[in-house]
Amino acid sequence: MTSVLYDAPGPKAKRRNLLFSVLFFVLLALLLWWVWQTLDDKNQLEWSLWKPFTTSEAWTTYLLPGLGDTLKAAALAMVIALPLGAVLGILRLSDHRWVRIPAGAVVEFFRAIPVLLLMLFANEFYVRSTGIPSDERPLYAVVTGLVLYNASVLAEIVRAGILSLPKGQSEAAMAIGLRKSQTMSSILLPQAVTAMLPAIVSQLVVIVKDTALGGVMLGFTELLSTRATLAANYANVIPSFIVVAVIFIILNFILTSFASWLEGRLRRSKRSTGAVLGADKVDDVNAAEVGGTYGTGAGGSI
């Protein structure tokens, strides 16, 4: 039996793949053992360094407030960047040059600038041109930088997803008299969403992780910056890094799991039932269609 991409492995290839798998797991186990031994030699596994995470003070004072700010910035950036990126991606497909060229310039400009630099520019803009309080300014700057950069990337994802659809979809829509806006909203976008979803989710994961950049330069109290305060108080730098890394892994795993569930649901909703009609059912359907045609004709002639 063969698959679309390669021939099914034979007995020799199966033994080779099994050998490589066993070798990989052995090397992975050795790596984990080396990391464990290194941490133990450096006294990083002592209970006194991990004990603060079993108390409520470390969580309610440091980690949970930082996590809340991280989720707040990421959620705001996602809510704004997703529709903005979709609009820019659709504008880049416009037939009008006066729409397509400016949209392309905006996308290429903000996509080329590092997100940290966008945050710094936004912070300076808010300092010099607005009256936003200083304690709220880092959040505004972080969200602005994330929105400008990720909306540009999402615009390219949307454009590529729409262009990946067969041209026959647009041609069939034009053949039945649909305008381009109707074709885009009713035919192309619903089909492209499923194809774009993995790339969109990857970019949303980037948004969650990039919130940490605001704590580096702008003093934004996100999860990684509050970790530094916690480590300074409890003198447990490496354990605090490990705990925060696990939190980020759990957050992004929840996001990707939800996206996988949503993608599967969308694919199932577009899948046909696959039911096969028997010969007797086909005859009944044909008879009904013929009768309906004749009945309509007779009624029309009367």
Side-chain angles (χ1 to χ4, degrees):
M1 182 178 179
T2 60
S3 70
V4 177
L5 300 178
Y6 56 86
D7 293 334
K12 187 175 180 180
K14 288 181 179 179
R15 289 195 298 269
R16 184 174 64 249
N17 293 340
L18 179 61
L19 178 62
F20 288 156
S21 299
V22 172
L23 181 61
F24 169 78
F25 282 110
V26 169
L27 293 176
L28 179 61
L30 290 175
L31 176 62
L32 293 176
W33 176 81
W34 175 79
V35 171
W36 181 275
Q37 287 296 118
T38 303
L39 292 175
D40 190 32
D41 293 340
K42 301 296 184 180
N43 299 321
Q44 293 298 321
L45 298 180
E46 293 183 357
W47 176 243
S48 60
L49 299 179
W50 296 87
K51 186 178 179 180
F53 299 109
T54 62
T55 63
S56 61
E57 181 182 0
W59 292 92
T60 57
T61 305
Y62 303 104
L63 296 180
L64 290 182
L67 178 61
D69 286 344
T70 293
L71 295 177
K72 182 179 180 180
L76 288 173
M78 290 178 190
V79 169
I80 301 173
L82 277 172
L84 181 59
V87 170
L88 289 173
I90 294 171
L91 292 180
R92 293 205 67 182
L93 297 173
S94 174
D95 294 332
H96 306 286
R97 295 183 62 184
W98 60 272
V99 175
R100 184 176 66 251
I101 292 177
V106 170
V107 169
E108 295 299 332
F109 178 79
F110 288 112
R111 196 175 59 157
I113 301 177
V115 64
L116 180 57
L117 197 57
L118 290 175
M119 292 179 183
L120 293 174
F121 277 126
N123 186 66
E124 287 299 314
F125 170 78
Y126 291 133
V127 169
R128 300 174 183 274
S129 304
T130 66
I132 298 175
S134 58
D135 57 334
E136 298 179 4
R137 197 179 302 130
L139 174 63
Y140 280 77
V142 169
V143 172
T144 301
L146 291 175
V147 167
L148 293 176
Y149 176 78
N150 290 281
S152 301
V153 177
L154 289 170
E156 288 299 280
I157 294 174
V158 171
R159 185 174 70 93
I162 294 174
L163 291 177
S164 67
L165 297 176
K167 290 185 64 177
Q169 302 285 340
S170 301
E171 294 171 354
M174 289 188 291
I176 62 176
L178 292 181
R179 297 190 299 272
K180 188 169 183 179
S181 60
Q182 295 174 319
T183 302
M184 184 68 68
S185 60
S186 303
I187 297 177
L188 298 182
L189 273 180
Q191 295 183 73
V193 165
T194 305
M196 296 185 299
L197 198 56
I200 290 176
V201 172
S202 298
Q203 202 58 38
L204 297 182
V205 169
V206 171
I207 291 177
V208 174
K209 295 188 296 184
D210 281 352
T211 56
L213 296 174
V216 176
M217 299 291 292
L218 302 177
F220 180 52
T221 56
E222 44 77 42
L223 183 58
L224 202 58
S225 63
T226 56
R227 179 223 60 84
T229 308
L230 182 146
N233 288 337
Y234 293 103
N236 56 352
V237 176
I238 293 181
S240 64
F241 273 125
I242 294 175
V243 170
V244 169
V246 171
I247 293 174
F248 272 111
I249 291 172
I250 293 174
L251 284 178
N252 292 324
F253 177 75
I254 292 173
L255 182 60
T256 53
S257 298
F258 172 75
S260 299
W261 171 82
L262 181 61
E263 182 182 4
R265 186 177 179 86
L266 290 175
R267 290 186 185 277
R268 287 193 299 271
S269 65
K270 296 177 183 178
R271 193 180 302 160
S272 65
T273 60
V276 179
L277 297 178
D280 54 340
K281 299 293 184 181
V282 174
D283 293 338
D284 294 341
V285 172
N286 290 336
E289 290 180 352
V290 172
T293 303
Y294 289 163
T296 302
S301 61
I302 293 172

